[in-house]
Amino acid sequence: CIFSGEAIIDVVWKKCVSHFYYAHFVYRCLEIAVLSWWVLYPPEEEFQARLGWSFLFASVLREVLYEVLEIQGFFRLTIDGEFGSKHRLLRFFTHWISLGNFFDMLSIVLLLALVMFTYDTNGTERTSVIGFHAYKELMAGVVLTRWVQLMVACRAFSAIGQKLLPILQSTISMGGIFCVTIFCFLGFLHAFLALGAPGSSTREILVNTVRFLLVGDGNGI
């Protein structure tokens, strides 16, 4: 009877987790749809602007709540000794020091900043939404991170995940290559900034450095 009860709980839990993940994937798809709508067809009416803004705001709050509850749950399990009785706090912190968690936090911060910066009261009680085109750089960061997160979310589906996971896992062993590339890029960027004429655009030098080192386009220098 005990084993049958545990089996039922296990099945119900897996079913609950699968439904939650499907809902999470739907949210990811809706975010991409709304962001694509904002970029390709910026809404001109206030109602449309508020509708898209409200969904993105609710979506980022959902992610913040999820991350807070996940951190709280893992912290309690760690303190209770579920992952070992030694170095509990160290285990907790080392769990979160990873590229995946850093990327998730960065994506949340970017979207939260976007919805906050595009919220305006215009000095009155009636709120309005500023067009996202006023923050093109921030929008570009949000769109890029959300597409990457959607790609990662597809790993749970067998049709895509079996082909996607080996590629994602192979990037872990390439950490040294990424590290060398970043340091070389920063070194060249610093050198080009030093060689630049007074009053030169830092943004233009950055773009030209990317073209020269990462794209192989020598015309930018």
Side-chain angles (χ1 to χ4, degrees), residues 27 31 53-63 115:
Y27 265 102
E31 287 173 355
W53 184 92
S54 298
F55 173 79
L56 294 179
F57 183 65
S59 181
V60 72
L61 287 185
R62 179 191 68 88
E63 287 191 275
V115 297

Side-chain angles (χ1 to χ4, degrees), residues 70-167:
E70 184 180 7
I71 293 174
Q72 180 185 8
F74 187 79
F75 180 77
R76 292 184 59 182
L77 291 175
T78 306
I79 296 300
D80 292 340
E82 294 293 335
F83 305 104
S85 58
K86 296 182 179 180
H87 310 293
R88 298 180 182 180
L89 290 178
L90 182 61
R91 289 176 180 272
F92 172 75
F93 286 110
T94 53
H95 172 76
W96 295 104
I97 303 177
S98 65
L99 181 61
N101 287 328
F102 174 78
F103 190 86
D104 289 340
M105 294 298 180
L106 175 63
S107 178
I108 292 174
V109 170
L110 288 176
L111 182 55
L112 188 60
L114 183 64
V115 297
M116 288 292 98
F117 289 156
T118 53
Y119 178 81
D120 185 34
T121 58
N122 288 333
T124 64
E125 295 181 355
R126 181 177 179 272
T127 60
S128 63
V129 179
I130 305 175
F132 285 168
H133 60 273
Y135 301 92
K136 293 182 178 180
E137 293 81 2
L138 190 55
M139 171 63 95
V142 171
V143 170
L144 176 61
T145 55
R146 293 291 153 169
W147 272 106
V148 173
Q149 286 187 318
L150 179 61
M151 177 194 67
V152 175
C154 292
R155 71 188 189 277
F157 303 97
S158 58
I160 303 176
Q162 292 180 355
K163 302 177 179 61
L164 188 63
L165 279 177
I167 299 176

